[in-house]
Tab-separated table of all heavy atoms in Angstrom:
chain	number	residue	atom	x	y	z
A	1212	LEU	N	0.840	-1.158	0.047
A	1212	LEU	CA	0.019	0.034	0.025
A	1212	LEU	C	0.838	1.280	-0.005
A	1212	LEU	O	0.613	2.295	-0.795
A	1212	LEU	CB	-0.890	0.001	1.197
A	1212	LEU	CG	-1.904	1.145	1.249
A	1212	LEU	CD1	-2.833	1.134	0.202
A	1212	LEU	CD2	-2.638	1.063	2.639
A	1213	THR	N	1.864	1.290	0.868
A	1213	THR	CA	2.798	2.407	0.915
A	1213	THR	C	3.574	2.540	-0.298
A	1213	THR	O	3.763	3.652	-0.867
A	1213	THR	CB	3.735	2.282	2.125
A	1213	THR	OG1	3.071	2.062	3.348
A	1213	THR	CG2	4.678	3.500	2.191
A	1214	ALA	N	4.112	1.412	-0.937
A	1214	ALA	CA	4.841	1.460	-2.159
A	1214	ALA	C	3.925	2.004	-3.219
A	1214	ALA	O	4.293	2.815	-4.137
A	1214	ALA	CB	5.270	0.063	-2.494
A	1215	ALA	N	2.741	1.600	-3.357
A	1215	ALA	CA	1.713	2.160	-4.391
A	1215	ALA	C	1.482	3.595	-4.106
A	1215	ALA	O	1.493	4.335	-5.180
A	1215	ALA	CB	0.464	1.339	-4.253
A	1216	LEU	N	1.433	4.165	-2.956
A	1216	LEU	CA	1.110	5.457	-2.754
A	1216	LEU	C	2.373	6.352	-3.167
A	1216	LEU	O	2.344	7.409	-3.797
A	1216	LEU	CB	0.903	5.810	-1.280
A	1216	LEU	CG	-0.411	5.319	-0.685
A	1216	LEU	CD1	-0.605	5.463	0.711
A	1216	LEU	CD2	-1.596	6.097	-1.437
A	1217	LEU	N	3.633	5.816	-2.891
A	1217	LEU	CA	4.871	6.528	-3.213
A	1217	LEU	C	5.014	6.523	-4.819
A	1217	LEU	O	5.418	7.511	-5.261
A	1217	LEU	CB	5.992	5.937	-2.595
A	1217	LEU	CG	6.032	6.060	-1.143
A	1217	LEU	CD1	7.276	5.164	-0.599
A	1217	LEU	CD2	6.270	7.501	-0.707
A	1218	LYS	N	4.572	5.366	-5.367
A	1218	LYS	CA	4.815	5.344	-6.795
A	1218	LYS	C	3.766	6.107	-7.602
A	1218	LYS	O	3.852	6.503	-8.758
A	1218	LYS	CB	4.695	3.980	-7.242
A	1218	LYS	CG	5.756	2.992	-6.759
A	1218	LYS	CD	7.062	3.188	-7.411
A	1218	LYS	CE	8.081	2.189	-6.965
A	1218	LYS	NZ	9.363	2.337	-7.532
A	1219	ALA	N	2.613	6.552	-7.022
A	1219	ALA	CA	1.387	7.275	-7.567
A	1219	ALA	C	1.692	8.720	-7.825
A	1219	ALA	O	0.923	9.353	-8.614
A	1219	ALA	CB	0.263	7.033	-6.788
A	1220	GLY	N	2.726	9.268	-7.235
A	1220	GLY	CA	3.133	10.550	-7.564
A	1220	GLY	C	2.254	11.598	-6.771
A	1220	GLY	O	2.001	12.756	-7.356
A	1221	ILE	N	1.676	11.369	-5.612
A	1221	ILE	CA	0.864	12.118	-4.909
A	1221	ILE	C	1.586	13.271	-4.195
A	1221	ILE	O	2.759	13.118	-3.740
A	1221	ILE	CB	0.083	11.317	-3.696
A	1221	ILE	CG1	-0.657	10.207	-4.234
A	1221	ILE	CG2	-0.722	12.269	-2.736
A	1221	ILE	CD1	-1.284	9.252	-3.186
A	1222	VAL	N	1.059	14.590	-4.374
A	1222	VAL	CA	1.698	15.662	-3.820
A	1222	VAL	C	1.150	16.139	-2.461
A	1222	VAL	O	-0.114	16.361	-2.551
A	1222	VAL	CB	1.651	16.810	-4.841
A	1222	VAL	CG1	2.228	18.102	-4.234
A	1222	VAL	CG2	2.267	16.517	-6.125
A	1223	MET	N	1.914	16.039	-1.477
A	1223	MET	CA	1.361	16.576	-0.114
A	1223	MET	C	2.481	17.383	0.498
A	1223	MET	O	3.707	17.366	0.274
A	1223	MET	CB	1.023	15.323	0.708
A	1223	MET	CG	-0.134	14.488	0.225
A	1223	MET	SD	-0.749	13.294	1.416
A	1223	MET	CE	0.660	12.074	1.451
A	1224	THR	N	2.132	18.131	1.626
A	1224	THR	CA	3.005	18.697	2.445
A	1224	THR	C	3.773	17.718	3.356
A	1224	THR	O	3.266	16.522	3.499
A	1224	THR	CB	2.384	19.766	3.305
A	1224	THR	OG1	1.521	19.025	4.314
A	1224	THR	CG2	1.601	20.716	2.574
A	1225	GLU	N	4.916	18.084	4.019
A	1225	GLU	CA	5.658	17.149	4.797
A	1225	GLU	C	4.828	16.782	5.962
A	1225	GLU	O	4.791	15.633	6.442
A	1225	GLU	CB	6.916	17.756	5.168
A	1225	GLU	CG	7.870	16.768	6.043
A	1225	GLU	CD	9.113	17.298	6.518
A	1225	GLU	OE1	9.490	18.446	6.157
A	1225	GLU	OE2	9.927	16.540	7.104
A	1226	ALA	N	4.011	17.681	6.504
A	1226	ALA	CA	3.123	17.373	7.690
A	1226	ALA	C	2.111	16.312	7.269
A	1226	ALA	O	1.922	15.359	8.074
A	1226	ALA	CB	2.351	18.693	8.160
A	1227	GLU	N	1.742	16.362	6.141
A	1227	GLU	CA	0.654	15.360	5.651
A	1227	GLU	C	1.399	14.017	5.451
A	1227	GLU	O	0.837	12.906	5.694
A	1227	GLU	CB	-0.031	15.799	4.296
A	1227	GLU	CG	-1.022	16.976	4.611
A	1227	GLU	CD	-1.464	17.691	3.466
A	1227	GLU	OE1	-0.745	17.601	2.370
A	1227	GLU	OE2	-2.507	18.447	3.507
A	1228	TRP	N	2.575	14.050	4.867
A	1228	TRP	CA	3.325	12.831	4.748
A	1228	TRP	C	3.611	12.076	6.075
A	1228	TRP	O	3.653	10.910	6.277
A	1228	TRP	CB	4.694	13.067	3.941
A	1228	TRP	CG	4.549	13.119	2.456
A	1228	TRP	CD1	4.569	14.271	1.642
A	1228	TRP	CD2	4.207	11.988	1.606
A	1228	TRP	NE1	4.328	13.938	0.308
A	1228	TRP	CE2	4.003	12.623	0.184
A	1228	TRP	CE3	3.879	10.704	1.837
A	1228	TRP	CZ2	3.753	11.843	-0.938
A	1228	TRP	CZ3	3.630	9.969	0.672
A	1228	TRP	CH2	3.539	10.476	-0.671
A	1229	LEU	N	3.947	12.867	7.132
A	1229	LEU	CA	4.069	12.510	8.400
A	1229	LEU	C	2.891	11.804	8.971
A	1229	LEU	O	2.942	10.766	9.630
A	1229	LEU	CB	4.562	13.601	9.446
A	1229	LEU	CG	6.013	14.127	9.272
A	1229	LEU	CD1	6.226	15.283	9.990
A	1229	LEU	CD2	7.000	12.963	9.662
A	1230	GLY	N	1.688	12.340	8.517
A	1230	GLY	CA	0.497	11.745	8.985
A	1230	GLY	C	0.217	10.430	8.379
A	1230	GLY	O	-0.173	9.491	8.914
A	1231	LEU	N	0.687	10.445	7.003
A	1231	LEU	CA	0.542	9.047	6.332
A	1231	LEU	C	1.523	8.100	6.982
A	1231	LEU	O	1.122	6.923	7.078
A	1231	LEU	CB	0.855	9.219	4.823
A	1231	LEU	CG	0.789	7.985	4.067
A	1231	LEU	CD1	-0.494	7.561	3.916
A	1231	LEU	CD2	1.384	8.285	2.677
A	1232	THR	N	2.659	8.398	7.370
A	1232	THR	CA	3.635	7.624	7.889
A	1232	THR	C	2.993	6.970	9.167
A	1232	THR	O	3.137	5.712	9.486
A	1232	THR	CB	4.958	8.381	8.354
A	1232	THR	OG1	5.392	9.018	7.185
A	1232	THR	CG2	5.983	7.395	9.012
A	1233	TYR	N	2.386	7.815	10.115
A	1233	TYR	CA	1.776	7.252	11.217
A	1233	TYR	C	0.644	6.318	10.826
A	1233	TYR	O	0.468	5.134	11.366
A	1233	TYR	CB	1.167	8.404	12.126
A	1233	TYR	CG	0.485	7.798	13.304
A	1233	TYR	CD1	1.139	7.533	14.459
A	1233	TYR	CD2	-0.917	7.503	13.364
A	1233	TYR	CE1	0.528	7.084	15.603
A	1233	TYR	CE2	-1.592	7.024	14.506
A	1233	TYR	CZ	-0.847	6.752	15.706
A	1233	TYR	OH	-1.578	6.296	16.745
A	1234	ALA	N	-0.213	6.726	9.846
A	1234	ALA	CA	-1.369	5.994	9.519
A	1234	ALA	C	-1.060	4.607	8.868
A	1234	ALA	O	-1.628	3.611	9.441
A	1234	ALA	CB	-2.123	6.716	8.425
A	1235	VAL	N	-0.228	4.488	8.086
A	1235	VAL	CA	0.152	3.087	7.589
A	1235	VAL	C	1.081	2.312	8.456
A	1235	VAL	O	0.936	1.001	8.279
A	1235	VAL	CB	0.813	3.297	6.053
A	1235	VAL	CG1	0.013	3.846	5.011
A	1235	VAL	CG2	2.185	4.099	6.194
A	1236	GLY	N	1.789	2.969	9.377
A	1236	GLY	CA	2.481	2.143	10.276
A	1236	GLY	C	1.716	1.644	11.437
A	1236	GLY	O	1.897	0.465	11.895
A	1237	VAL	N	0.742	2.338	11.845
A	1237	VAL	CA	-0.165	1.922	13.048
A	1237	VAL	C	-1.433	1.361	12.588
A	1237	VAL	O	-2.106	0.404	13.264
A	1237	VAL	CB	-0.404	3.107	14.023
A	1237	VAL	CG1	-1.214	2.683	15.260
A	1237	VAL	CG2	0.911	3.674	14.429
A	1238	GLY	N	-1.976	1.745	11.454
A	1238	GLY	CA	-3.316	1.291	11.073
A	1238	GLY	C	-3.379	-0.223	10.922
A	1238	GLY	O	-4.474	-0.789	10.928
A	1239	GLY	N	-2.438	-0.885	10.562
A	1239	GLY	CA	-2.410	-2.305	10.494
A	1239	GLY	C	-2.701	-3.000	11.669
A	1239	GLY	O	-3.016	-4.199	11.706
A	1240	SER	N	-2.538	-2.336	12.862
A	1240	SER	CA	-2.928	-2.902	14.181
A	1240	SER	C	-4.346	-3.260	14.313
A	1240	SER	O	-4.745	-3.814	15.168
A	1240	SER	CB	-2.380	-2.062	15.154
A	1240	SER	OG	-0.955	-1.691	15.012
A	1241	LEU	N	-5.215	-2.542	13.537
A	1241	LEU	CA	-6.721	-2.667	13.800
A	1241	LEU	C	-7.133	-4.049	13.484
A	1241	LEU	O	-8.201	-4.440	14.153
A	1241	LEU	CB	-7.372	-1.752	12.666
A	1241	LEU	CG	-7.170	-0.212	12.900
A	1241	LEU	CD1	-7.729	0.647	11.872
A	1241	LEU	CD2	-7.291	0.198	14.342
A	1242	LEU	N	-6.494	-4.753	12.807
A	1242	LEU	CA	-6.874	-6.231	12.542
A	1242	LEU	C	-5.562	-7.123	12.711
A	1242	LEU	O	-4.502	-6.515	12.427
A	1242	LEU	CB	-7.462	-6.551	11.161
A	1242	LEU	CG	-8.753	-5.856	10.733
A	1242	LEU	CD1	-9.224	-6.144	9.278
A	1242	LEU	CD2	-9.954	-6.327	11.737
A	1243	VAL	N	-5.770	-8.315	13.196
A	1243	VAL	CA	-4.520	-9.100	13.450
A	1243	VAL	C	-3.880	-9.547	12.206
A	1243	VAL	O	-2.591	-9.768	12.376
A	1243	VAL	CB	-5.040	-10.305	14.303
A	1243	VAL	CG1	-5.683	-11.348	13.408
A	1243	VAL	CG2	-3.820	-10.956	15.027
A	1244	ILE	N	-4.442	-9.521	11.107
A	1244	ILE	CA	-3.847	-9.874	9.911
A	1244	ILE	C	-3.252	-8.645	9.104
A	1244	ILE	O	-2.591	-8.801	8.038
A	1244	ILE	CB	-4.830	-10.564	8.915
A	1244	ILE	CG1	-5.946	-9.566	8.421
A	1244	ILE	CG2	-5.341	-11.800	9.444
A	1244	ILE	CD1	-6.852	-10.179	7.442
A	1245	GLY	N	-3.345	-7.552	9.692
A	1245	GLY	CA	-2.915	-6.315	9.026
A	1245	GLY	C	-1.453	-5.998	9.203
A	1245	GLY	O	-1.037	-4.984	8.643
A	1246	SER	N	-0.758	-6.636	9.994
A	1246	SER	CA	0.745	-6.316	10.062
A	1246	SER	C	1.588	-7.599	10.392
A	1246	SER	O	0.983	-8.668	10.803
A	1246	SER	CB	0.942	-5.299	11.331
A	1246	SER	OG	0.591	-5.952	12.527
A	1247	ALA	N	2.795	-7.505	10.199
A	1247	ALA	CA	3.711	-8.694	10.500
A	1247	ALA	C	3.671	-8.903	12.041
A	1247	ALA	O	3.700	-10.130	12.415
A	1247	ALA	CB	5.083	-8.349	10.031
A	1248	ALA	N	3.574	-7.869	12.822
A	1248	ALA	CA	3.449	-8.130	14.273
A	1248	ALA	C	2.202	-8.933	14.673
A	1248	ALA	O	2.269	-9.855	15.538
A	1248	ALA	CB	3.513	-6.782	14.938
A	1249	GLY	N	1.025	-8.583	14.121
A	1249	GLY	CA	-0.215	-9.397	14.383
A	1249	GLY	C	-0.037	-10.872	13.850
A	1249	GLY	O	-0.416	-11.726	14.600
A	1250	ILE	N	0.496	-11.097	12.730
A	1250	ILE	CA	0.683	-12.509	12.251
A	1250	ILE	C	1.601	-13.229	13.001
A	1250	ILE	O	1.332	-14.426	13.417
A	1250	ILE	CB	1.285	-12.312	10.678
A	1250	ILE	CG1	0.144	-11.740	9.787
A	1250	ILE	CG2	1.444	-13.819	10.239
A	1250	ILE	CD1	-1.067	-12.324	9.616
């Protein structure tokens, strides 16, 4: 998902990129299959 977003050429501010960093890093915790830690 992160690789796809980076390849898609999305333009955001650094603050918004930091928000995305938190989102994709922590969001996988919502389901047990959503992250390597959960698996």
